[in-house]
Amino acid sequence: MTALAALIFDVDGTLCETEEIHRNAFNDTFAAAGLDWCWSIAAYTRLLRVTGGKERMAAYRAERGGQVPSDAEIGALHRAKTARYAAIVAAGGLVARPGVLSLVARARTAGLQLAVATTTSPANVDALCQALWQKPAAAVFDVIAAGDDVAQKKPAPDVYHLALQRLGLPPEAALAFEDSRNGVLSARSAGLRVVASPSLFTAGDDLTAATQICADLSAFDLAAAIHG
Ligand code: XBP
Ligand code: MG
């Protein structure tokens, strides 16, 4: 059996319950732009089926049957939303999901490489790492593969292919951690084993394609994963 050499983490919902912050950042941005959009928790739970903030806004525009905002306006709204997200995260109060800090520390001690495969932007990963580890993302993770680095976002395998390529590893040598159906399908399509831990916004997702399901990462046995 190929030895375990790396852990690859999804960010939103897996490292931290960030989706409520994303939702608030979207709604603050819509209000500031004078756009009459406001996403409730129920609406956002449904809209999360479309990964990526720009893509989510375009899908919502299509759902409403309108032409407004334009693609260029969606791009500008998304830049404003990313800045708003960073400001909310920097204001403090964020905590990692149970088991995350300990797992990352123990994986480092065990000599594993650490990577991120996320739909969100590198700026948001940095904001989160500053909040959780008081370090930039590059000081916590060896590899960061992000949504806009690839042609197709999750559930396509692209972002995991990119993470594996940057790690220099075959899929058998790594283990992915995800919270959503789209994320699990993405990692599985790239040939990875996946540990799924449902988050607040993905509690209703079908995660049965995962190799293992844990309520949270404090229930994950790293020693067993390393020693088989
Ligand atoms: C999370 C997402 C992201 C965030 C918003 O998916 O879909 O789009 O909701 O991020 P995953 P941006 O956890 O599977 O990566 O607005 O920065 O795109
Ligand atoms: Mg996620």
Side-chain angles (χ1 to χ4, degrees):
M1 210 178 80
T2 313
L4 183 66
L7 305 185
I8 309 178
F9 292 92
D10 167 52
V11 173
D12 294 308
T14 298
L15 296 181
C16 191
E17 293 283 5
T18 45
E19 287 300 356
E20 183 60 6
I21 306 176
H22 283 293
R23 188 179 76 87
N24 287 322
F26 278 114
N27 286 336
D28 290 352
T29 304
F30 299 153
L35 187 64
D36 68 340
W37 290 5
C38 186
W39 291 344
S40 66
I41 289 176
Y44 194 66
T45 304
R46 178 177 51 78
L47 289 166
L48 274 174
R49 283 185 218 139
V50 177
T51 57
K54 294 186 286 291
E55 293 80 355
R56 191 167 301 140
M57 285 190 269
Y60 186 67
R61 179 186 60 191
E63 211 175 82
R64 289 169 59 105
Q67 311 283 320
V68 177
S70 66
D71 287 351
E73 285 165 342
I74 282 181
L77 285 167
H78 192 254
R79 283 190 291 281
K81 177 261 171 180
T82 298
R84 178 72 191 133
Y85 175 89
I88 299 172
V89 169
L94 217 63
V95 288
R97 284 193 64 193
V100 167
L101 299 181
S102 154
L103 176 57
V104 165
R106 285 180 294 122
R108 264 289 169 237
T109 304
L112 300 183
Q113 290 194 78
L114 295 172
V116 152
T118 181
T119 304
T120 200
S121 59
N124 287 354
V125 183
D126 254 326
L128 195 75
C129 288
Q130 285 292 356
L132 299 187
W133 285 279
Q134 295 77 52
K135 290 177 191 171
V140 182
F141 297 99
D142 304 295
V143 160
I144 313 234
D148 287 337
D149 295 342
V150 293
Q152 289 198 64
K153 293 181 177 164
K154 299 174 188 177
D158 303 28
V159 75
Y160 277 100
H161 282 150
L162 182 64
L164 287 166
Q165 183 199 322
R166 289 181 176 165
L167 286 164
L169 292 173
E172 307 76 47
L175 188 54
F177 294 86
E178 278 285 353
D179 70 303
S180 70
R181 175 171 169 77
N182 279 324
V184 167
L185 295 178
S186 170
R188 293 299 280 160
S189 301
L192 285 150
R193 291 168 288 158
V194 189
V195 178
S197 53
S199 60
L200 293 174
F201 276 90
T202 61
D205 276 20
D206 177 357
L207 301 175
T208 49
T211 322
Q212 187 184 340
I213 299 179
C214 296
D216 61 53
L217 295 188
S218 63
F220 173 70
D221 188 343
L222 180 64
I226 292 173
H227 302 296

